[in-house]
Amino acid sequence: EHPRIQNLPRVDMLALLVLALASLVAAVPTLLECDREFGVGAEIMAGPAVLSTERSAVIMRDGVELECGGNYTPGEMLFGELSSVGGEVRYLMEVKGGIFDIVDGGCEGDHVCDAMRCAKSLVVTGQPILAPMNGSALELTIGWATAFGLVSITEPCVLYPDVQPTASPTFIISAPTFEDPVTDAPTPMFPVDANMTNMTNTTNMTMPYYY
């Protein structure tokens, strides 16, 4: 036994033993049940999950990374993955708005949670994501760890629907037509002068009169 270890208090030796064993215990994302909270501050594994920018959630289209905050086409098939998965990293992906395509498998364990979570262990590949059709935002968040300990949570990568602008309807308003009281007045049956004093029956009809 090393001389320094012999001189350590029993409590410190126990702590070292726990750390040594913890480093040998792998993270198991498949054990997180669907009713368990997932995100920054959620109690996962060794304590509250922490926000980390060391790795990031990536959404790709045809092998090309999309910029978070950009757009997606409703109903298209995308691909979600962790930016770096070297070493012993294991991770759990959660998608909101869309769902993971699990028809051909790819997700580990039984807790796929209506195709909204997908666990990965020691693999580079991510998982296909079906974008929503209802115009909601598409959000991908990934929690990861390399061993038993605190889980790191990526910043969410959010995409928004690509809505094509529609042309505004065109309204044609015609000006109303007004009759000219002089030029459009009907021709009287009996010509009269301006003073109404010279009424002539051009048809020799006898004007009726009343008592």
Side-chain angles (χ1 to χ4, degrees):
E1 188 175 14
H2 196 281
R4 288 189 177 183
I5 296 180
Q6 288 180 338
N7 296 330
L8 285 175
R10 182 177 179 81
V11 175
D12 290 342
M13 291 183 62
L14 181 59
L16 286 175
L17 179 60
V18 170
L19 289 176
L21 291 175
S23 65
L24 298 177
V25 178
V28 187
T30 56
L31 296 181
L32 188 69
E33 297 89 350
C34 297
D35 58 356
R36 294 272 304 280
E37 183 182 0
F38 178 77
V40 176
E43 290 289 336
I44 306 174
M45 202 155 54
V50 296
L51 180 66
S52 173
T53 57
E54 183 179 347
R55 290 177 169 90
S56 58
V58 176
I59 301 178
M60 306 183 73
R61 175 191 292 128
D62 298 328
V64 179
E65 181 177 346
L66 299 179
E67 182 178 356
C68 296
N71 298 112
Y72 71 85
T73 301
E76 72 172 320
M77 189 66 73
L78 300 170
F79 195 82
E81 65 180 10
L82 189 63
S83 61
S84 173
V85 291
E88 297 292 317
V89 66
R90 290 171 168 82
Y91 59 100
L92 177 66
M93 300 189 291
E94 181 178 72
V95 66
K96 295 180 181 179
I99 58 173
F100 289 109
D101 181 6
I102 58 175
V103 175
D104 297 325
C107 299
E108 301 178 15
D110 299 324
H111 303 303
V112 292
C113 310
D114 295 327
M116 292 186 292
R117 287 183 182 176
C118 183
K120 297 285 185 175
S121 297
L122 306 178
V123 292
V124 177
T125 57
Q127 190 71 18
I129 299 174
L130 181 62
M133 291 290 293
N134 60 0
S136 62
L138 175 65
E139 179 179 316
L140 177 65
T141 305
I142 303 178
W144 59 274
T146 56
F148 184 86
L150 294 180
V151 174
S152 298
I153 304 290
T154 67
E155 291 273 6
C157 183
V158 185
L159 300 180
Y160 301 94
D162 183 11
V163 179
Q164 297 296 329
T166 56
S168 301
T170 301
F171 298 97
I172 300 176
I173 302 177
S174 301
T177 302
F178 299 96
E179 293 184 351
D180 189 310
V182 177
T183 60
D184 296 333
T187 303
M189 182 180 296
F190 304 103
V192 296
D193 59 19
N195 296 321
M196 300 293 288
T197 59
N198 184 23
M199 298 182 63
T200 305
N201 185 349
T202 57
T203 60
N204 296 321
M205 295 178 61
T206 303
M207 288 289 293
Y209 55 91
Y210 300 91
Y211 297 97

